[in-house]
C-alpha cells in the first residue's frame, strides 16, 4: 500500500492525554494530523481502546518540501524540527474517533485514505485549470 500521509514524528512519551504511542503526520492539505490511541470505559470495570485522529492547530506542513512549519506570534512562518510538534499544552481539534478499529495500522489506513483523496482533488483542480487555459488558447487561435 502506497503511503500518502507523511510521518513527521513518533513519540512514546507525549504531552497528549494518553499512555500509548502518538504519531504525527503531514497531509497534502498542509495540515498536521495526530494519530493516537487511548482507553475508554465501556461499562463496569471494562474498558476498550479507541483511536483518535486530531488536527494540530499550531503547525502546518509543506507537503512538497516535507517541512514542518510553526507560526510565531507575528504570524511569520518558521521551519522547525519534527520533535517540536510534540509540545506542552497542544492546541488540537479532534476530527474523528474510531472505536471499532483494532490497530494503529487500521487507523493509519483511514488517515492515508484522507491524504489520497486530497491529492486526487488537488490533481483534478490543476487539470481543470490547465484545460481552461487550453480552451482559452484554442479560442484565441481560432479567432485569429
Amino acid at each position: 500500500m502506497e503511503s500518502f500521509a507523511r510521518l513527521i514524528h513518533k513519540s512514546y512519551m507525549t504531552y497528549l492525554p494518553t499512555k500509548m504511542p502518538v504519531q504525527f503526520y503531514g497531509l497534502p492539505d498542509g495540515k498536521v494530523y495526530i494519530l493516537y490511541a487511548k482507553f475508554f470505559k465501556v461499562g463496569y470495570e471494562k474498558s476498550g481502546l479507541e483511536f483518535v485522529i486530531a488536527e494540530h492547530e499550531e503547525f502546518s506542513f509543506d507537503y512538497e518540501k516535507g517541512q514542518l512549519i510553526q507560526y510565531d506570534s507575528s504570524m511569520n512562518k518558521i521551519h522547525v524540527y519534527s520533535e517540536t510538534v510534540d509540545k506542552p499544552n497542544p492546541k488540537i481539534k479532534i476530527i474523528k474517533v474510531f472505536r471499532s478499529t483494532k490497530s494503529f495500522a487500521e487507523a493509519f489506513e483511514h488517515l492515508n485514505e484522507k491524504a489520497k483523496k486530497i491529492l486526487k482533488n488537488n490533481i483534478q483542480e490543476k487539470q481543470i485549470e490547465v484545460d481552461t487555459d487550453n480552451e482559452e488558447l484554442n479560442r484565441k487561435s481560432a479567432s485569429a
Side-chain angles (χ1 to χ4, degrees), residues 28-130:
D29 61 358
K31 296 179 182 177
V32 174
Y33 291 89
I34 305 167
L35 176 62
Y36 65 95
K38 67 178 189 169
F39 290 104
F40 70 96
K41 273 192 164 184
V42 177
Y44 181 70
E45 293 188 17
K46 290 185 180 181
S47 65
L49 192 63
E50 65 185 9
F51 289 87
V52 178
I53 294 177
E55 179 185 327
H56 205 310
E57 296 180 327
E58 297 172 279
F59 294 90
S60 62
F61 185 72
D62 185 335
Y63 191 80
E64 298 296 321
K65 295 178 183 174
Q67 293 180 333
L68 181 65
I69 300 167
Q70 182 178 14
Y71 294 97
D72 67 5
S73 58
S74 61
M75 294 305 288
N76 293 324
K77 291 181 179 181
I78 303 170
H79 298 284
V80 293
Y81 293 109
S82 60
E83 300 85 27
T84 311
V85 78
D86 188 16
K87 60 186 266 333
N89 304 316
K91 293 179 184 167
I92 65 170
K93 178 173 69 173
I94 295 176
I95 305 295
K96 194 134 187 170
V97 178
F98 300 97
R99 289 191 172 175
S100 60
T101 301
K102 304 288 186 230
S103 67
F104 271 101
E106 282 183 40
F108 172 75
E109 285 179 26
H110 293 291
L111 194 59
N112 200 42
E113 280 299 314
K114 180 178 179 73
K116 187 177 179 180
K117 286 178 187 175
I118 293 168
L119 273 175
K120 185 178 179 182
N121 288 340
N122 288 348
I123 290 170
Q124 287 176 348
E125 285 175 10
K126 287 179 183 176
Q127 286 176 343
I128 290 169
E129 289 174 15
V130 170

